[in-house]
């Protein structure tokens, strides 16, 4: 073996070990800083503070979620009461307390007897008897609504608006048609 052949082999090994991959190469100097600038750190801290002030309390506090849930349950109970009145061809009432609503039925078809003419209980959509929705504390109605009485045609005695404290939308019962909506 000649001296030149040994040199060629060692230079090939050295050339292989010096191969650089372009995506791993880092330019030297100020083009590639080794950390974050002060401005970047301040922006991140401001964003974290905004999230802490506005977003986190909404996730911790359940009262908004409970208010919306109670609003939706009341809306569903009102619609169920109207459909029950039409299906059974009887007067169905929804009687309110400050934090609950209960279904009733005019069993003897005489509105002069019982609580607003609704002396019998009606099973609710979940099978509970009487059909009732109750709020979790501290959710209540803004003002305790008067009883809503649906006749056999599903029409209420009068139109009404129901507001749950903490819920953005109101429940509206149309006077002529009995349509229950938000």
């Amino acid at each position: 073996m000649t001296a030149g052949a040994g040199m060629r082999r060692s230079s090939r090994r050295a050339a292989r070990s010096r191969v650089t991959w372009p995506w791993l190469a880092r330019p030297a100097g100020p083009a590639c800083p080794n950390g974050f600038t002060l401005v970047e750190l301040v922006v991140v801290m401001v964003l974290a503070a905004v999230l802490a002030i506005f977003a986190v309390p909404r996730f911790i506090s359940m009262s908004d979620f409970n208010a919306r849930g109670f609003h939706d349950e009341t809306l569903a109970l009102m619609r169920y009461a109207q459909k029950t009145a039409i299906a059974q061809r009887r007067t169905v009432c929804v009687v309110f307390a400050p934090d609950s609503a209960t279904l009733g039925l005019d069993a003897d078809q005489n509105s002069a007897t019982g609580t607003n003419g609704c002396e019998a209980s009606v099973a609710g959509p979940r099978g509970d008897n009487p059909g009732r929705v109750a709020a979790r504390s501290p959710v209540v109605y803004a003002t305790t609504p008067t009883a809503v009485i649906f006749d056999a045609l599903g029409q209420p005695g009068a139109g009404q608006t129901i507001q749950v404290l903490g819920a953005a939308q109101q429940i509206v019962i149309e006077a002529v048609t009995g349509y229950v909506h938000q």
Side-chain angles (χ1 to χ4, degrees):
M1 195 189 271
T2 64
M7 281 296 248
R8 276 188 237 139
R9 281 190 198 147
S10 65
S11 65
R12 282 188 205 152
R13 281 188 213 142
R16 277 191 224 145
S17 66
R18 282 185 270 146
V19 172
T20 58
W21 304 101
W23 59 86
L24 293 178
R26 295 182 63 193
C32 183
N34 289 332
F36 299 106
T37 65
L38 184 60
V39 173
E40 292 171 332
L41 291 173
V42 169
V43 168
V44 169
M45 290 175 60
V46 167
L47 288 175
V50 168
L51 282 175
I53 290 171
F54 293 108
V56 174
R58 288 202 172 235
F59 291 115
I60 294 173
S61 172
M62 292 298 291
S63 64
D64 291 341
F65 295 110
N66 290 340
R68 179 59 195 227
F70 185 54
H71 171 271
D72 291 346
E73 287 179 348
T74 302
L75 180 68
L77 187 73
M78 299 301 294
R79 289 178 176 163
Y80 181 78
Q82 182 192 28
K83 291 177 183 182
T84 302
I86 295 169
Q88 295 186 9
R89 296 185 181 183
R90 295 216 169 163
T91 301
V92 175
C93 306
V94 181
V95 181
F96 294 94
D99 63 347
S100 66
T102 307
L103 287 176
L105 176 72
D106 189 6
D108 62 3
Q109 297 183 353
N110 181 359
S111 62
T113 61
T115 307
N116 296 324
C118 294
E119 60 275 348
S121 60
V122 177
R126 293 178 287 195
D128 52 339
N129 197 2
R132 183 172 194 262
V133 293
R136 295 186 178 128
S137 180
V139 178
V140 295
Y141 294 111
T143 58
T144 304
T146 59
V148 177
I149 303 170
F150 291 103
D151 64 11
L153 297 174
Q155 298 171 335
Q160 191 167 350
T161 302
I162 301 168
Q163 178 68 47
V164 175
L165 281 180
Q169 298 176 332
Q170 297 177 336
I171 299 170
V172 179
I173 304 159
E174 299 295 335
V176 176
T177 60
Y179 178 58
V180 181
H181 61 94
Q182 302 188 61

